[in-house]
Amino acid sequence: MKLPILFGIHCHQPVDNFSNIVDEIIQKSYLPFAQIASRYKNFKFAIHYSGWLFEYIKNKNPQLFSLFKKLLDQGQIEIFTGGYYEPILSAIPKRDRILQIKKLNSFIYENFGVSPKGLWLTERVWDPSIIPDVVECGIEYLVVDDYHFISMGFHKDNLYGYFISEQDGLAIKIFPIDQTLRYFIPFKELNEIDQYLKEIIHKGGKGAILFDDGEKFGVWPKTYEWVYEKGWLEKFLDLFTSSKDFQFMHYYDFVEKNPPMGLAYLPLTSYYEMGEWSLFADKFIEMERLSSFLKKTEFQNIYKTYLKGAHWKNFFIKYPESNHIHKRLLAISKKAYTLNDPLLNEYLFKGECNDVLWHGIFGGIYLPNLRDNTFKYIIKAEKRITALEGDEKIKISDLLFDGYGCCTLRNRNLATLWTIKHGGQLKSLDLLESEINLCNTLSRRWEGYHDTLLRSKEESTEATTGITTIHEMNITLSEEVKNKIAFDWYDRNSFVDHIVENYTPEEIAYTRYKEIGDFTNQPFELIPKDDQIIFERKGGIYLDKMYKTNLKKSFSLKDKGISFEIEINSSFTKNLYYILEFNFHFFNYNKLKVNGKKVGDILSNKNNLFIIDAGDTMLEINLDKKTEAIVYLVNTAHQSEQGVDFTTQGVCVALPFKFRKELTVSGFIKVM
């Protein structure tokens, strides 16, 4: 009896990703894989392509789309479904996930004439509450990681098959993906893979289960040369399609020929690495160090049962920018449920694409273009709701689920979102005509991997064969680069209030000044008044003691701008500086000019600032007082599949005003 190999590839690109990037991935990964696979009739495998990517390939690369049909006609592929725009199913409402799955089911049936029985679970984020919904969509089985089972105490040697789980009396079959195979294919030499598969036979396993990213075959670092130019894939298929020990098998055939391994109830979890990534930075470091220690002890084979990271939704706490996006989508979803408008549904579903909401090895929330694409559909959806329901100029709600509430202020040109909990600040500045959020920025946060990047690291001396996976890359930075990495302790919104005794431009740019007020990230009281909103905080300045200080900010919208007035009254009687901070998002930072000068120059004695982005977007700040302007780019150093990426997240404009006891600053921000 040959051991069945259940082989699957999952392929996805973020909605509206750059066409040149998607085209390159098709040429380097999806197309050559399909071309080589089509020459091996005994290579039976599963494919999952997210709906947006399927649609893109159908319209832009008919050669590859025809290959899919050829592979199906040859009986080589089984097509898995999922959410059409690749949402995390447990992170979106019931209605949305059912409609997204059914949308991809319909696309598959209309184009390939088959109804999928298997479902790819986005990022393998498991929540048993989704079982009734996927069953309603005609799904019989799905795949998760073997870690899901191991974390519940299952033995790895007993995971070479499928299990039954249920929710509300509705059953689903669950296949555990073998993590060892995920790390071996396509990175290891064939003899190592062959040896491991034979070990499964010796353990009495019913099948070897692999379902992983298709981009590993050509797009991940060094894989194009390894998989195609050096012939790894052809050698792999030559060996295993003609083996006397193994046979490739479809998931539906395996289910028909094999009974389940038993019953299983799995926890809210994803794969092991995702649990690490979703931890707060200090806990990530602790988990890394603890796991490194345990790997050298008698617990090396069992520690993953007891050592767990955070739940995927912890990303909404870890990144306020992610929570902002997610909660606006939830609010749109509520409206979509009652309005039942097809166009609104489409905008919502595209916005629910998962990539922008988290960060691990891939850029995710750190990529401005992904955030731009999501905000585009959020703004489109909110405009559609306004068209269907009418306008509401001021709206106060607990949109962000922080218990403090926030305020939406809008007119026919702009929609603004203001946070109460964190400083009475502008969190979103949406240009309704161009569908851009000019406050789409990101704070420079300390990540767990910065601990490794910013300290010296010895090179690994362990012998290895094949090539390295992105989970195992060893990255070092020069001291010059390390010194340019900075971190923020507050959110990069606009109308951020700082009070300091003194400062230098460098201290401002690297957040190395001493904050002496309690206004930057603390709650304000919101007072709506006609078409105006007022934020006020009775706070303090902290030096030798606490000096009572009151800060009030008033805002209103006029045409394409925001009118503002800021008042400070303090019991402290000596000179201090109030720094008013703005953070804006543009598209071409290389060509960004402020009053005709490049970013980084100090602009002295100014009460008018003109920020222009290569002629596309222009923003003007008018003040009633002259001051110097400290303008700098907010750059992050974040992990990616290529190693470390340095990305500009926004431009900061810091305006210092000297004051004693009291200060009033008024002005107008205009978008052109």
Side-chain angles (χ1 to χ4, degrees), residues 355-515:
D355 305 79
V356 71
L357 294 173
W358 61 283
H359 171 62
I361 283 180
F362 301 98
I365 190 71
Y366 277 87
L367 300 182
N369 66 297
L370 296 190
R371 302 197 306 271
D372 283 331
N373 292 341
T374 301
F375 275 117
K376 175 179 66 178
Y377 289 110
I378 287 173
I379 296 168
K380 282 179 178 289
E382 291 175 346
K383 285 168 61 178
R384 183 63 178 167
I385 292 168
T386 299
L388 295 170
E389 285 194 335
D391 202 2
E392 195 172 5
K393 292 183 179 180
I394 297 181
K395 182 178 180 180
I396 300 170
S397 68
D398 193 16
L399 176 71
L400 302 177
F401 286 76
D402 61 15
Y404 287 80
C406 57
C407 180
T408 301
L409 186 64
R410 60 188 300 136
N411 63 15
R412 61 188 179 87
N413 296 307
L414 303 175
T416 60
L417 179 67
W418 305 80
T419 172
I420 297 172
K421 183 179 180 181
H422 295 108
Q425 296 163 11
L426 178 63
K427 199 168 189 66
S428 188
L429 174 55
D430 301 340
L431 312 187
L432 298 183
E433 183 178 356
S434 54
E435 296 168 346
I436 295 167
N437 174 12
L438 274 188
C439 285
N440 173 21
T441 59
L442 190 80
S443 294
R444 302 173 295 189
R445 287 192 176 81
W446 172 264
E447 299 282 2
Y449 51 75
H450 286 130
D451 181 62
T452 301
L453 290 175
L454 297 178
R455 58 186 171 88
S456 59
K457 182 176 180 181
E458 293 181 2
E459 295 288 337
S460 173
T461 57
E462 293 182 16
T464 185
T465 59
I467 60 174
T468 302
T469 78
I470 58 176
H471 301 286
E472 302 164 325
M473 288 193 294
N474 188 14
I475 303 161
T476 57
L477 301 177
S478 68
E479 291 301 317
E480 180 182 2
V481 171
K482 289 179 184 179
N483 290 333
K484 293 181 179 179
I485 297 176
F487 303 102
D488 299 319
W489 52 275
Y490 59 92
D491 296 345
R492 285 275 172 184
N493 300 320
S494 282
F495 293 103
V496 183
D497 309 293
H498 302 284
I499 297 179
V500 299
E501 288 186 278
N502 45 59
Y503 68 90
T504 66
E506 183 179 49
E507 288 172 341
I508 296 296
Y510 288 91
T511 59
R512 293 171 184 164
Y513 52 88
K514 182 181 178 182
E515 186 80 44

Side-chain angles (χ1 to χ4, degrees), residues 278-296:
S278 56
L279 285 168
F280 301 118
D282 59 333
K283 300 303 177 186
F284 174 96
I285 295 168
E286 290 171 359
M287 185 171 175
E288 284 275 283
R289 291 177 179 174
L290 182 55
S291 64
S292 296
F293 168 74
L294 291 173
K295 286 175 184 177
K296 301 172 185 176

Side-chain angles (χ1 to χ4, degrees), residues 147-215:
Y147 171 70
H148 291 65
F149 290 82
I150 290 168
S151 69
M152 285 296 288
F154 284 78
H155 294 281
K156 182 175 174 63
D157 290 349
N158 297 328
L159 297 180
Y160 304 113
Y162 69 91
F163 293 77
I164 302 290
S165 193
E166 64 80 26
Q167 181 75 19
D168 302 336
L170 297 171
I172 193 79
K173 301 175 181 71
I174 305 178
F175 285 88
I177 302 167
D178 190 324
Q179 187 195 52
T180 302
L181 286 177
R182 278 206 301 121
Y183 277 51
F184 273 24
I185 293 176
F187 306 102
K188 296 294 185 182
E189 296 283 3
L190 300 185
N191 62 322
E192 291 186 69
I193 299 169
D194 182 69
Q195 181 181 345
Y196 179 73
L197 291 172
K198 286 176 179 175
E199 289 175 7
I200 295 177
I201 295 176
H202 295 150
K203 293 172 182 175
K206 293 183 178 181
I209 303 161
L210 173 70
F211 212 127
D212 208 2
D213 296 346
E215 293 80 14

